[in-house]
Amino acid sequence: MNKQLIEKIGEGLKSNIGSSFSLDADKVNSLVVTGQNGLTECIKQFVMKNGSKEIEEILLKQKTFEGSGFQTVVKNQLKNDFVSKGLLAAEQSEEVSGYASSYLVDEIITAYQSSSESKDLDGICNFLGIDKNLLKMINSPMGKMFGKFF
């Protein structure tokens, strides 16, 4: 995914998360970096295990992020990352990860919708920086089965 876009979204998250949860600047910076890295990993892992259909539907606004399987994966990944790195206690991590995951994905959806990329699989692949042929292989039944093993 475009590094400048991720950094821009991270800057917005810094100001919002700091004021929403009364966290100091160092902690906010650590949370944002962890959140950015966690989201990137979540996208890769989710697509490898489940294919890209749900993420495509979310980016195309055919399905909401709230209540999706992708939301569950992202929120849990961020929560675990925040706790395992000692950034937050478990209770606060639950709340912050929910907020951060929604914010990050909403900003990506907005950026994609505002981009000049076509609103189809080709545009999504270009926007996310994913090879379309590789994605087709991952989305195949054999690819999904292979992804679940790993």
Side-chain angles (χ1 to χ4, degrees):
M1 196 175 328
N2 184 326
K3 186 174 172 123
Q4 286 100 359
L5 172 64
I6 292 294
E7 288 174 2
K8 180 183 170 198
I9 293 170
E11 289 302 315
L13 182 59
K14 280 180 189 178
S15 61
N16 288 326
I17 207 168
S19 61
S20 296
F21 297 98
S22 301
L23 300 169
D24 65 60
D26 289 338
K27 186 161 286 209
V28 168
N29 287 334
S30 296
L31 289 169
V32 169
V33 169
T34 300
Q36 291 170 323
N37 293 335
L39 178 63
T40 303
E41 284 304 307
C42 280
I43 291 172
K44 290 176 190 175
Q45 291 173 9
F46 188 83
V47 170
M48 287 296 291
K49 290 183 179 180
N50 303 296
S52 64
K53 183 168 177 45
E54 188 168 303
I55 293 175
E56 291 171 37
E57 289 173 343
I58 291 169
L59 285 173
L60 294 170
K61 293 188 170 185
Q62 297 168 345
K63 182 176 189 171
T64 62
F65 176 67
E66 299 301 319
S68 68
F70 184 54
Q71 179 192 27
T72 302
V73 169
V74 173
K75 185 177 173 184
N76 287 336
Q77 177 73 44
L78 294 181
K79 182 175 70 173
N80 293 337
D81 287 351
F82 294 159
V83 171
S84 69
K85 293 183 181 191
L87 299 173
L88 296 173
E91 307 80 43
Q92 191 176 27
S93 177
E94 178 77 29
E95 197 176 348
V96 173
S97 65
Y99 179 85
S101 63
S102 292
Y103 182 87
L104 290 166
V105 172
D106 286 346
E107 289 296 310
I108 290 171
I109 292 168
T110 300
Y112 171 69
Q113 290 293 322
S114 300
S115 75
S116 60
E117 299 292 347
S118 60
K119 304 308 179 231
D120 56 14
L121 184 57
D122 288 335
I124 291 170
C125 288
N126 286 335
F127 182 77
L128 295 177
I130 299 171
D131 182 281
K132 186 177 176 183
N133 293 323
L134 178 62
L135 188 60
K136 284 181 181 179
M137 186 175 72
I138 290 169
N139 283 334
S140 72
M142 185 63 86
K144 287 180 184 174
M145 184 178 76
F146 184 73
K148 289 185 194 285
F149 287 122
F150 297 97

